[in-house]
Amino acid sequence: MAKTWLVTGCSSGLGKAVALEALKRGEKVAATARNPETLREMEEKYPGQALALRLDLEDKESMEAAVKETCRRLGAIDVLVNNAGHGYRAAVEESEPDQVAELFQTNFFGPAELIKLVLPGMRERKSGLLVNVTSIGAVRGALGNGYYSAAKGALELLSEALAKEVGHLGIQVMLAEPGALRTGFYDDRLKESKLQIADYDVLAGSYRKARTGSRHDQPGSPEMAGKVLVETILRGDRPFRLLLGSDAVKAAEQTLEERLQELRDWQDVSRQSDYIEN
């Protein structure tokens, strides 16, 4: 029996790939974007199966309306894929408060609110899957991307706690951690602080857009990532965390090995803070 999916950020990239792959497999998909007109072709290609809806993670009313319309037109939501988001380039000291607030709203608070909107129905049915797309940037803080890593990292820790809270209700949680995908993520949608501090110029080649350019040579394919993610979602033995891309695997492996080694190197010191009984 076909399941009903609600997927955010479907105008391009990974979100579009996930929506199309799910549709190809006979699933019903509410594909959302801030401008639903970008999704009309998908809706026309899959009449009665695809539904194009407006959803803006800065607008709670649009989120409420999208959830309500999905349930009305396609049935109760079985799978939520929180995919929409964008990056932000700036050293921590260079960041601007209004941009950071918007970044967290789009990458953390908005997805968290959407989860809360679909959970009542999932609790009632004692089933459902919540998929949060984060980033390899949530596994390790990337130079010049501190706030982006922080927002995605917050969504990961929220997901860990959520999985423990809803597991006994028959609801599952999953994280997808993409590496660099060949999408428009690195173009206009990648925001950047206007403030530039000279002391960080030596690092500019690693994060400032004027120095890094709009390359389109990332190793990851959004179409293949979408295919892999949908295939994994449909499996019965899916993992809690799924890395997407060889670069993500390499970065995660290196980061986790370094973290484990540091733990081992300092564990004797760490244990000295235990209370000593007299």
Side-chain angles (χ1 to χ4, degrees):
M1 183 176 176
K3 289 183 169 58
T4 296
W5 297 44
L6 174 61
V7 185
T8 67
C10 295
S11 60
S12 63
L14 181 60
K16 181 178 181 179
V18 167
L20 286 172
E21 186 64 29
L23 288 166
K24 288 177 187 176
R25 292 169 179 268
E27 303 285 72
K28 296 179 292 183
V29 178
T32 73
R34 283 179 295 179
N35 178 11
E37 292 305 313
T38 62
L39 308 172
R40 293 306 175 199
E41 184 178 346
M42 189 184 302
E43 195 175 47
E44 291 168 4
K45 186 175 180 180
Y46 295 93
Q49 188 185 346
L51 177 63
L53 295 173
R54 176 180 178 272
L55 192 152
D56 185 340
L57 292 169
E58 294 185 82
D59 179 359
K60 184 177 178 180
E61 287 186 1
S62 78
M63 290 188 274
E64 292 172 336
V67 169
K68 184 176 180 180
E69 190 67 2
T70 299
C71 294
R72 187 179 76 83
R73 298 274 297 276
L74 299 180
I77 297 168
D78 300 296
V79 181
L80 169 66
V81 181
N82 265 320
N83 165 77
H86 66 77
Y88 178 62
R89 293 282 179 86
V92 171
E93 190 180 358
E94 293 173 332
S95 63
E96 298 176 281
D98 58 335
Q99 291 182 320
V100 172
E102 187 276 330
L103 179 78
F104 268 80
Q105 179 60 39
T106 302
N107 289 289
F108 176 67
F109 291 113
E113 186 61 37
L114 198 52
I115 288 169
K116 290 167 65 177
L117 289 172
V118 303
L119 270 175
M122 289 184 174
R123 284 192 290 104
E124 183 179 353
R125 296 185 306 280
K126 297 295 186 288
S127 68
L129 174 63
L130 304 163
V131 182
N132 292 324
V133 179
T134 58
S135 166
I136 188 59
V139 179
R140 48 82 175 121
L143 189 156
N145 290 272
Y147 278 105
Y148 176 71
S149 290
K152 290 297 191 180
L155 187 57
E156 290 225 342
L157 290 176
L158 182 80
S159 300
E160 287 188 17
L162 180 65
K164 296 170 184 175
E165 294 170 359
V166 301
H168 73 289
L169 299 171
I171 302 168
Q172 295 179 300
V173 181
M174 178 181 170
L175 288 169
E177 300 171 329
L181 301 178
R182 207 168 295 187
T183 69
F185 180 89
Y186 299 94
D187 298 329
D188 294 341
R189 282 177 286 162
L190 178 58
K191 300 186 179 183
E192 182 176 50
S193 173
K194 294 179 181 178
L195 174 63
Q196 295 185 356
I197 298 173
D199 279 347
Y200 299 112
D201 287 348
V202 66
L203 306 173
S206 297
Y207 73 92
R208 287 183 188 160
K209 291 178 68 174
R211 295 283 293 277
T212 60
S214 295
R215 300 180 296 107
H216 293 92
D217 59 354
Q218 291 81 17
S221 160
E223 292 77 22
M224 288 305 299
K227 183 174 185 292
V228 169
L229 181 52
V230 171
E231 285 179 348
T232 307
I233 287 172
L234 294 174
R235 291 176 58 148
D237 61 343
R238 71 181 77 90
F240 175 68
R241 281 186 173 83
L242 177 68
L243 291 157
L244 293 171
S246 58
D247 60 328
V249 172
K250 181 179 179 180
E253 186 175 35
Q254 179 181 348
T255 299
L256 296 175
E257 285 179 351
E258 289 174 353
R259 195 173 296 172
L260 183 58
Q261 187 59 53
E262 184 177 58
L263 181 151
R264 289 168 175 160
D265 290 344
W266 288 89
Q267 60 183 324
D268 290 341
V269 174
S270 299
R271 291 193 174 104
Q272 291 174 21
S273 62
D274 287 356
Y275 189 87
I276 300 174
E277 295 287 350
N278 293 324

